[in-house]
Amino acid sequence: MATMVRLLQQTDKAIETVYNRKNDAEIERLQEYQAAVKIQSWFRGTRTRAYLRHLNNCATEVQRKWRGFLGRKFYRIFVKNQTLVMKLNHYNAMATKIQKTWRGYYVRKYVYNYYSRKRYLEALQIKNEIIRSELEEYAEQQEQRRRRQQMMEEKKKQEYEARKNHYLISTHVIPGIFSSPFQPYPSEYEYILRSVKPLQHKKKNMNGNRYDPAWQSYESPRPRQLPPLPQKPQGPFRDPEEVQKQRYKPFQPTLRVATSINALDEARQKMKDEEWVTRLNDNIFEPFTKKYYPYEPLLHATSKFGHLPYGTKYYREESIDKHVTHKPFRTLVPPIPIFDKLNDTYSQGQV
Amino acid sequence: MSQRQVLQVFEQYQKARTQFVQTVAELSSRPQNIETLQNAGVMSLLRPLLLDIVPTIQQTAALALGRLANYNDDLAEAVVKGDILPQLVYSLAEQNRFYKKAAAFVLRAVAKHSPQLAQSVVDCGALDALVICLEEFDPGVKEAAAWALGYIARHNAELAQAVVDAGAVPLLVLCIQEPELSLKRIAASALSDICKHSPELAQTVVDAGAIAHLAQMILNPDAKLKRQVFSALSQISKHSVDLAEMVVEAEIFPAVLTCLKDFDEYVKKNVATLIREIAKHTPELSQLIVNAGGVAAVIDYIGESKGNVRLPGIMMLGYVAAHSENLAMAVIVSKGVVQLAIALSEEPEDHIQAAAAWALGQIGRHTPEHAKAVAVANVLPKLLQCYLRADASEDLQTKSKKALKNILQKCVHLPALEPLLHDAPPNVLKHVVGQFSKVLPHDSKARRVFVTSGGLKKIQEIKAEPGSALAEYINTINNCYPEEIVKYYSPGYSDALLERVDQYLPKA
């Protein structure tokens, strides 16, 4: 009991302690609560953030992988294109180089070949010299010819003068004015006078008043009398115009006369000739393995029907009913044209 | 009255008529009588005489009419208005050769004055009658008819076409082949008149085979014939390349060159015209002429002749040089530039100078080498002079300016350009300075010479608008030199120096 009592004695103390504790707890309680909330919030926050970070990391990973994939894909395409372009540029550059070289070579060799051009110009100069000298020569010749002509003309003129003045020649007895007795020799003109004959007197035109205003080349036919009047011949004649027309009527051959006698043959020959021209080979083509040709007997000799008796036994056609046509064939040679006219009742006035 | 007495009356009348007509014909051959004759009413009196029963009177009347109509176009018109032409045309077909000749003379005299008169001759049906006359045996008649046809055809293309349509061309070609020189001459002249109008007409003449016969007569000694032949050939070849080639194919080429040495001026001129007409078409034809030595011959001919005669030669050189640089070089090595320069300075006439300037421009415009060849012949100052001369025609000015520009744009031969710096107007100076600005940056010797010859000084004196091409060129030139040198040569530099002396304070 003692214990009980002791315990009871201590009850107040215990209560007080409990009370104090409770008070203390009550005082700390909010703080603790808040601390707990903070801790919890921190923890939850951390956890959520970690989770989110995890998600983000995952997304980044996915994106990274995907973008890497795409990037590599596009990069490959890009590199491919780039290579292509590079190659193309390179090839173009190379082609340009080749073309450049070739064109330069070609132009220098064939179009503007410096040496050939130089040669050409030199040759041209030589040619020019030749032409110049030739022309010079030609001009010289022309000049000479002209001078000669002029001289001849002058001489002729002089001669004519001398002939006109021939009466001034000196005679045996009386010296002329051109041979002065006071000089040792007669003058030049005197010799010329001696060398020519005197001019003859012109024959008078006995025709009277022949008049020729412009055309000196002809003498106009002067009618002695008035020209006769044109008249129609008397009598029962046809009009002269009509007669003339009939007389000079152009020749009108018949078609048969106009065509050649062997026109058919000619046409045939022409056709054959044309065929011959267009044929490629005259020899009939035979395969070279065929060496021997079978003997082909004449159709005429081997006919099982025998010879045609026409011309030996008979001369007229026996089996008329077998003919293709009953009309006679056209003759090859046309008949004599005069026979054509036999049936005409009148002459057509042809000569 | 006996029969004789009756006839005597007629005889007297006939004599009187004859005498009248003869006197009138004689009087009308002198120009001073014509007015009096006209006032006396000669036309109306001659007209009935054309229908006279006596052939001599008819002929002489026609002759008198022809002389009157030949005198001036009023009288020719009077002939047309007097309805004389139909009579003439009618009798042209009927009468004897003397009358035909006289009638053709009248037609020719009427047709020569104007296209209208020629048209009236055509309208009265003269062409057919004249063409029939061309078939006549007598060469005199053919000559008169060909002459009349030529005079009709020369006016315009329609009349020429009418002549062609009348079928005159083949007969004229036949006439060329006749032995008579005068007939040949006139037929060739008529052909030339026909084909000068259009390519079609020329083609008609060519189709009639005229070229071969004309080409045969090139070496004929008769100068007047040669004139007409060359005129006809050049009229044919002027139209198209084909026609020119046909003329060339007649193998005229070395032969025509000899005719450049002919005595007759007109032969020379016509030959040069022919060569020009052929050369102008294509480079190939020009090349052919050059290879035949034609350029040398033409150049000699330019040197020997004067005035208008040398004009076609000058133009021919221009045409040849215009085709390609090779041909231009051929002209240069044939010493063409010198002759052209002489022609440019010697000739007093503007149009010949213009042609020479044009030809020089064509030669010099190809490469620097060509331009140099032209420039060393001392052509540029002359061209400049032609351009600047106060009394120069507009054509000469434009041609010489164009030539100058063409040559200057290619010229890198600086000594020849120097003189132009001093006396060229701004629009030419631009090109000169441009050439300097192209050459100087790359040539140190030229830079030196440019300074010593005073060119740089001159350049500094030029007042160029800032921003213009000229200013740019000047700037390029200035950039080739050190700044002091440029400053030294700029105007006003001495003043600037003196100013500096004034402002300078000596250090104590």
Side-chain angles (χ1 to χ4, degrees):
Chain A
M1 262 315 256
T3 325
M4 186 75 185
V5 170
R6 206 190 352 121
L7 281 175
L8 279 176
Q9 277 175 338
Q10 287 175 348
T11 314
D12 287 344
K13 216 178 168 181
I15 289 170
E16 198 165 329
T17 313
V18 169
Y19 184 74
N20 284 343
R21 273 188 194 166
K22 190 143 167 45
N23 274 354
D24 286 348
E26 234 11 77
I27 291 164
E28 297 287 324
R29 193 178 152 125
L30 190 62
Q31 199 184 358
E32 276 170 7
Y33 174 73
Q34 276 170 348
V37 165
K38 199 161 212 170
I39 288 163
Q40 278 173 2
S41 79
W42 169 78
F43 177 73
R44 285 194 192 127
T46 306
R47 201 177 57 188
T48 312
R49 271 194 295 275
Y51 182 63
L52 276 180
R53 200 183 311 123
H54 170 71
L55 282 182
N56 271 340
N57 282 346
C58 286
T60 311
E61 184 72 14
V62 169
Q63 284 175 357
R64 186 171 67 87
K65 288 271 167 62
W66 174 242
R67 283 184 186 155
F69 170 71
L70 274 190
R72 277 187 291 281
K73 191 172 156 191
F74 285 119
Y75 173 72
R76 259 179 241 115
I77 293 169
F78 177 73
V79 165
K80 218 172 174 179
N81 285 345
Q82 211 55 26
T83 327
L84 199 69
V85 168
M86 211 172 73
K87 274 183 190 169
L88 213 60
N89 285 342
H90 179 69
Y91 291 151
N92 281 345
M94 292 301 111
T96 311
K97 201 175 249 176
I98 292 169
Q99 284 171 1
K100 184 180 82 179
T101 318
W102 163 248
R103 282 184 189 153
Y105 166 75
Y106 178 78
V107 163
R108 277 188 289 276
K109 172 118 187 175
Y110 296 106
V111 183
Y112 289 113
N113 188 343
Y114 174 73
Y115 293 103
S116 82
R117 186 171 133 151
K118 206 166 137 188
R119 238 179 295 131
Y120 169 71
L121 288 177
E122 274 164 14
L124 186 71
Q125 267 165 312
I126 293 168
K127 172 87 188 174
N128 282 348
E129 284 312 307
I130 293 170
I131 283 281
R132 279 189 169 125
S133 63
E134 268 175 12
L135 288 182
E136 207 64 41
E137 223 167 87
Y138 175 78
E140 189 84 0
Q141 273 177 13
Q142 292 280 73
E143 176 70 26
Q144 267 179 10
R145 192 184 304 159
R146 208 173 57 104
R147 225 178 286 142
R148 213 177 307 137
Q149 223 162 6
Q150 221 171 1
M151 234 158 65
M152 292 251 282
E153 259 166 38
E154 242 163 58
K155 208 174 162 188
K156 225 173 182 176
K157 210 167 147 193
Q158 202 182 23
E159 199 174 309
Y160 179 73
E161 281 295 309
R163 287 179 71 188
K164 236 166 96 180
N165 297 330
H166 191 265
Y167 59 89
L168 295 173
I169 197 170
S170 51
T171 59
H172 256 298
V173 184
I174 308 166
I177 56 167
F178 293 112
S179 60
S180 167
F182 305 111
Q183 278 172 5
Y185 302 108
S187 74
E188 189 85 13
Y189 201 66
E190 177 68 24
Y191 289 108
I192 298 172
L193 284 181
R194 274 182 207 170
S195 67
V196 297
K197 283 180 183 170
L199 209 58
Q200 294 290 318
H201 284 287
K202 258 190 199 162
K203 273 182 189 160
K204 279 270 168 69
N205 193 355
M206 304 309 282
N207 207 4
N209 57 348
R210 189 174 82 69
Y211 175 69
D212 182 18
W215 333 109
Q216 281 154 7
S217 55
Y218 75 96
E219 291 181 7
S220 57
R222 275 159 47 85
R224 288 277 159 79
Q225 290 171 348
L226 289 179
L229 295 168
Q231 45 186 231
K232 186 172 170 277
Q234 284 186 347
F237 299 121
R238 285 198 297 173
D239 202 34
E241 204 177 326
E242 203 182 330
V243 174
Q244 189 85 348
K245 217 173 181 179
Q246 189 189 0
R247 177 149 182 211
Y248 293 109
K249 199 166 129 188
F251 175 61
Q252 298 168 320
T254 60
L255 186 63
R256 189 169 289 176
V257 174
T259 50
S260 154
I261 187 169
N262 51 355
L264 201 63
D265 278 340
E266 274 171 6
R268 216 173 272 164
Q269 185 59 36
K270 199 180 159 201
M271 221 164 76
K272 271 187 187 168
D273 287 348
E274 265 172 20
E275 205 179 331
W276 183 83
V277 166
T278 49
R279 204 155 59 208
L280 288 179
N281 193 358
D282 280 338
N283 303 322
I284 298 162
F285 179 73
E286 297 276 10
F288 62 93
T289 48
K290 192 173 176 186
K291 280 185 183 171
Y292 303 104
Y293 304 98
Y295 171 69
E296 286 180 16
L298 286 174
L299 189 65
H300 181 70
T302 56
S303 166
K304 65 177 179 180
F305 303 109
H307 291 280
L308 286 177
Y310 174 80
T312 51
K313 298 245 174 71
Y314 58 87
Y315 292 95
R316 300 222 172 151
E317 191 52 66
E318 301 263 283
S319 46
I320 305 273
D321 51 322
K322 285 187 181 171
H323 280 191
V324 184
T325 171
H326 293 290
K327 282 181 193 163
F329 283 136
R330 202 159 65 89
T331 48
L332 175 65
V333 179
I336 299 164
I338 198 77
F339 295 159
D340 282 354
K341 293 183 180 168
L342 280 179
N343 289 334
D344 288 349
T345 49
Y346 59 91
S347 156
Q348 290 170 340
Q350 285 168 359
V351 185
Chain B
M1 281 276 181
S2 67
Q3 195 193 1
R4 195 170 152 275
Q5 275 169 323
V6 173
L7 284 178
Q8 205 172 11
V9 175
F10 284 90
E11 196 124 343
Q12 270 174 1
Y13 178 49
Q14 184 178 326
K15 263 186 189 159
R17 284 192 331 251
T18 318
Q19 206 191 351
F20 171 72
V21 167
Q22 284 169 358
T23 323
V24 167
E26 210 155 340
L27 288 174
S28 56
S29 62
R30 290 195 187 79
Q32 66 265 28
N33 297 335
I34 297 221
E35 205 166 323
T36 326
L37 284 172
Q38 194 182 0
N39 294 338
V42 70
M43 282 293 169
S44 47
L45 287 175
L46 281 177
R47 196 182 154 207
L49 289 176
L50 275 178
L51 293 177
D52 202 281
I53 205 154
V54 185
T56 323
I57 296 176
Q58 290 182 1
Q59 288 153 29
T60 322
L63 181 70
L65 264 182
R67 283 181 180 166
L68 289 169
N70 205 12
Y71 180 65
N72 66 17
D73 52 345
D74 286 342
L75 282 163
E77 211 157 320
V79 171
V80 173
K81 285 199 180 131
D83 274 342
I84 292 170
L85 293 180
Q87 284 174 22
L88 280 171
V89 171
Y90 173 71
S91 45
L92 202 56
E94 299 288 309
Q95 297 279 351
N96 65 10
R97 58 201 170 108
F98 306 114
Y99 186 77
K100 282 181 181 174
K101 229 156 120 178
F105 172 57
V106 180
L107 292 177
R108 181 185 102 209
V110 171
K112 93 170 188 185
H113 294 292
S114 71
Q116 288 77 30
L117 287 169
Q119 186 62 50
S120 58
V121 170
V122 172
D123 288 342
C124 66
L127 286 180
D128 293 324
L130 285 171
V131 168
I132 290 167
C133 283
L134 280 181
E135 294 181 60
E136 194 84 0
F137 180 69
D138 183 46
V141 176
K142 283 199 235 183
E143 193 181 312
W147 210 339
L149 286 172
Y151 272 33
I152 292 170
R154 78 166 39 160
H155 291 295
N156 58 36
E158 288 87 57
L159 286 166
Q161 186 63 51
V163 170
V164 169
D165 290 343
V169 173
L171 294 168
L172 285 172
V173 173
L174 281 180
C175 285
I176 299 180
Q177 303 167 47
E178 296 287 328
E180 290 80 13
L181 273 180
S182 55
L183 178 56
K184 281 184 177 195
R185 239 181 254 162
I186 288 163
S189 141
L191 285 178
S192 158
D193 284 336
I194 288 173
C195 47
K196 77 179 175 188
H197 298 292
S198 74
E200 290 77 25
L201 290 167
Q203 187 63 50
T204 322
V205 172
V206 171
D207 288 344
I211 288 180
H213 299 297
L214 287 171
Q216 274 175 2
M217 291 188 285
I218 285 173
L219 292 176
N220 200 301
D222 186 62
K224 282 180 184 159
L225 174 59
K226 276 198 278 190
R227 282 182 203 173
Q228 303 300 348
V229 166
F230 287 125
S231 151
L233 284 176
S234 52
Q235 299 290 13
I236 290 173
S237 53
K238 81 176 180 184
H239 293 294
S240 72
V241 183
D242 289 343
L243 291 168
E245 275 174 0
M246 287 176 93
V247 170
V248 169
E249 274 167 22
E251 302 202 341
I252 55 171
F253 252 99
V256 290
L257 300 181
T258 56
C259 295
L260 284 172
K261 288 277 179 188
D262 210 278
F263 281 105
D264 194 273
E265 297 271 281
Y266 290 98
V267 172
K268 283 197 216 174
K269 192 181 167 193
N270 287 356
V271 173
T273 314
L274 170 63
I275 299 177
R276 179 191 77 194
E277 298 300 352
I278 292 172
K280 79 175 181 188
H281 288 297
T282 63
E284 288 77 23
L285 285 169
S286 294
Q287 185 79 56
L288 185 126
I289 291 170
V290 169
N291 291 351
V295 167
V298 168
I299 288 164
D300 280 3
Y301 140 81
I302 292 175
E304 284 158 15
S305 48
K306 291 272 164 293
N308 261 336
V309 181
R310 58 163 62 149
L311 180 62
I314 292 170
M315 289 175 73
M316 179 261 176
L317 290 187
Y319 277 128
V320 169
H323 283 308
S324 78
E325 55 132 348
N326 216 351
L327 289 167
M329 201 32 118
V331 173
I332 290 171
V333 300
S334 312
K335 307 185 182 79
V337 177
V338 185
Q339 286 299 351
L340 286 174
I342 292 171
L344 184 65
S345 56
E346 264 183 8
E347 286 298 335
E349 302 245 2
D350 271 3
H351 65 279
I352 301 177
Q353 283 187 342
W358 171 77
L360 285 168
Q362 296 300 339
I363 294 172
R365 71 178 183 139
H366 293 287
T367 64
E369 207 178 333
H370 291 76
K372 184 182 170 188
V374 175
V376 295
N378 205 16
V379 164
L380 298 178
K382 280 176 204 153
L383 282 174
L384 191 65
Q385 200 186 343
C386 286
Y387 174 51
L388 295 178
R389 222 173 55 202
D391 57 338
S393 65
E394 201 172 315
D395 182 49
L396 174 58
Q397 280 187 344
T398 50
K399 289 237 163 69
S400 48
K401 187 188 170 199
K402 200 101 192 271
L404 258 181
K405 198 175 146 190
N406 283 339
I407 298 168
L408 286 178
Q409 280 177 345
K410 289 289 176 190
C411 187
V412 292
H413 183 66
L414 301 184
L417 292 178
E418 289 262 5
L420 293 185
L421 272 182
H422 297 281
D423 40 25
N427 52 352
V428 177
L429 194 64
K430 181 175 71 183
H431 300 295
V432 180
V433 177
Q435 288 310 108
F436 275 110
S437 75
K438 282 178 206 163
V439 177
L440 288 178
H442 309 291
D443 190 347
S444 59
K445 264 186 201 167
R447 281 201 291 271
R448 193 189 161 84
V449 173
F450 189 60
V451 173
T452 53
S453 66
L456 188 61
K457 187 157 183 263
K458 177 68 195 148
I459 288 282
Q460 305 312 322
E461 286 161 9
I462 296 170
K463 287 187 188 67
E465 282 179 33
S468 67
L470 183 57
E472 207 166 290
Y473 294 142
I474 292 173
N475 203 18
T476 318
I477 294 175
N478 288 346
N479 285 342
C480 307
Y481 291 99
E483 207 174 337
E484 303 95 274
I485 300 217
V486 175
K487 265 191 190 165
Y488 178 74
Y489 282 112
S490 6
Y493 181 63
S494 51
D495 294 344
L497 274 183
L498 285 176
E499 217 164 276
R500 269 179 70 188
V501 168
D502 289 345
Q503 285 170 358
Y504 186 72
L505 292 175
K507 285 169 193 163

